[in-house]
Amino acid sequence: MAAPSCSVSGLWVRGSWQRLGNLFTFVSKPLCSAAAASRPLDAQRLAERFRAQKQEQKTKKPLPTNPVQRRVQELLRFTEQLQRVHPNVLAKALSRGLVHQDEDLVVINKPYGLPVHGGPGVRLCISDVLPVLGKLLRGHKAEPLHLCHRLDKETTGVMVLAWEKEVAHQVQELFRTRQVTKKYWAVTTRTPVPSAGVVDIPIIEKEVQGQERHHKVGIKHQLRVHLSFGLDCPLLGDHKYSDWNRLAPQKLSASILKKLGLPQSKARHIPLHLHACQLTLPALQAGKEELNLVCKPPRYFVHSLHRLGLKMPSRDQNGDEETTHSGAR
């Protein structure tokens, strides 16, 4: 596994909220409309309305004055609302940000906080919207799209879907046999030493302390485990693998917290800074060329680098990303 191309601490500023924010509109109805004023309300209904209105006021927290804390709160609200939207709304949002589309594949830019598969506590995931997304792109008679691989819920970036199940199996085999070149951009709390190389460290499952019984399964999160426990430079916002012995919010140094403008108590809300920026797929059919898929990082990732005075990795003459390393102390 190659080392990440960017390894410095940073801060998110804003995720996909700018694009999807207009999809989540809350309308508060008045207590009594003009039409309803003409008919009497019984005491029970009136009391229920008062209670609902009072509860709504309690849940509305004022935005903090600190711009960093305000953006952290915005991203939290975005990820919560992402689980409540209708599948049609999410499918339309994904269709507007397509990375690539042809007769075999559809490539999307996976947003932060959206799981790929369902599970406990998951109301909406990418697999739920594949039938709707297929109809949006090919019409009402289109078959559902198929997943070719997966990304973690908190990971953003390039994600490949296939129109036909056979093509999806073909791409899955390319991933399994490591014929797909994958590049990630990562922001870490420390700089890896050495700055480049191959990580070859066995991964085991470990039970950790917590309110309930938990296990850290590194096989699913190989990159995160190797960075944290192998190279001692956890990903910024990785609250699962920053501590080997327990589940707890990530501890950040005083200098990093100062740059972020956050107290340690707010560090738990910093999102994971891991972006699948590029995939290179071999040709799926004879006579076709390999497919190079590039996806821009989310806005909060870019702003993290700007806030710390870091530069985005540039491209060299061979088309590969040059590695830019800076330490935050």
Side-chain angles (χ1 to χ4, degrees):
M1 183 191 73
S5 58
C6 185
S7 54
V8 270
S9 64
L11 167 72
W12 84 276
V13 176
R14 176 173 295 207
S16 308
W17 178 259
Q18 189 69 26
R19 175 175 294 177
L20 300 181
N22 61 334
L23 301 179
F24 313 112
T25 304
F26 294 93
V27 180
S28 58
K29 296 182 179 180
L31 180 62
C32 185
S33 63
S38 59
R39 60 179 183 270
L41 287 175
D42 58 75
Q44 182 178 355
R45 289 174 58 195
L46 191 60
E48 289 176 353
R49 289 193 180 188
F50 273 121
R51 281 196 296 267
Q53 197 173 56
K54 188 175 181 180
Q55 183 64 30
E56 184 180 358
Q57 292 175 353
K58 287 183 178 180
T59 56
K60 285 185 178 179
K61 297 181 180 179
L63 288 176
T65 56
N66 184 300
V68 177
Q69 296 184 21
R70 184 169 63 249
R71 289 162 185 155
V72 168
Q73 194 174 101
E74 286 176 353
L75 185 61
L76 287 172
R77 189 185 304 115
F78 164 73
T79 55
E80 291 173 356
Q81 291 173 340
L82 196 61
Q83 291 290 307
R84 301 191 192 107
V85 301
H86 193 277
N88 292 2
V89 177
L90 179 57
K92 288 179 181 178
L94 294 176
S95 67
R96 287 197 294 266
L98 288 185
V99 177
H100 174 83
Q101 181 183 357
D102 58 30
E103 66 274 12
D104 295 318
L105 303 174
V106 171
V107 183
I108 63 173
N109 181 359
K110 180 190 169 299
Y112 174 84
L114 181 64
V116 176
H117 299 286
V122 176
R123 298 183 182 179
L124 186 63
C125 59
I126 287 181
S127 60
D128 291 337
V129 303
L130 295 182
V132 183
L133 183 59
K135 294 182 186 303
L136 285 175
L137 299 177
R138 277 194 172 179
H140 293 292
K141 295 183 179 180
E143 295 293 327
L145 286 156
H146 301 274
L147 293 168
C148 296
H149 63 118
R150 68 180 300 277
L151 291 174
D152 293 345
K153 174 183 175 181
E154 297 87 0
T155 304
T156 60
V158 181
M159 185 161 193
V160 183
L161 311 172
W163 287 110
E164 303 294 337
K165 185 178 294 186
E166 293 75 16
V167 176
H169 290 163
Q170 184 180 358
V171 176
Q172 290 167 4
E173 183 65 15
L174 293 175
F175 275 96
R176 190 187 68 82
T177 55
R178 300 190 177 185
Q179 298 183 57
V180 179
T181 301
K182 298 179 287 184
K183 292 185 179 181
Y184 289 83
W185 286 352
V187 181
T188 64
T189 58
R190 287 181 285 275
T191 303
V193 178
S195 60
V198 176
V199 180
D200 186 9
I201 302 174
I203 297 176
I204 62 172
E205 181 180 275
K206 175 182 173 63
E207 185 175 354
V208 296
Q209 298 176 358
Q211 295 181 352
E212 299 179 359
R213 189 176 181 181
H214 292 282
H215 287 82
K216 292 188 176 183
V217 186
I219 297 175
K220 292 182 179 179
H221 309 118
Q222 182 181 6
L223 183 59
R224 295 164 63 180
V225 173
H226 277 160
L227 283 172
S228 182
F229 304 138
L231 300 177
D232 192 29
C233 53
L235 288 166
L236 182 65
D238 193 343
H239 307 290
K240 183 173 184 178
Y241 292 106
S242 291
D243 192 306
W244 175 244
N245 294 311
R246 62 195 180 101
L247 285 175
Q250 187 177 54
K251 294 286 186 180
L252 297 175
S253 66
S255 60
I256 293 178
L257 290 171
K258 183 178 180 181
K259 292 178 181 179
L260 303 183
L262 290 173
Q264 177 60 46
S265 61
K266 299 295 183 182
R268 69 178 65 218
H269 302 311
I270 297 175
L272 184 72
H273 282 62
L274 182 61
H275 175 66
C277 65
Q278 185 175 357
L279 286 179
T280 303
L281 286 173
L284 298 180
Q285 299 177 14
K288 289 192 174 184
E289 298 181 352
E290 67 177 16
L291 193 59
N292 186 39
L293 305 166
V294 180
C295 189
K296 294 181 180 180
R299 186 167 298 184
Y300 75 83
F301 196 105
V302 176
H303 286 183
S304 299
L305 302 182
H306 290 333
R307 185 172 181 84
L308 293 175
L310 306 174
K311 294 182 179 179
M312 294 287 292
S314 59
R315 293 180 179 275
D316 59 20
Q317 294 179 353
N318 296 324
D320 294 327
E321 282 80 9
E322 295 177 346
T323 303
T324 303
H325 291 295
S326 302
R329 302 169 187 265

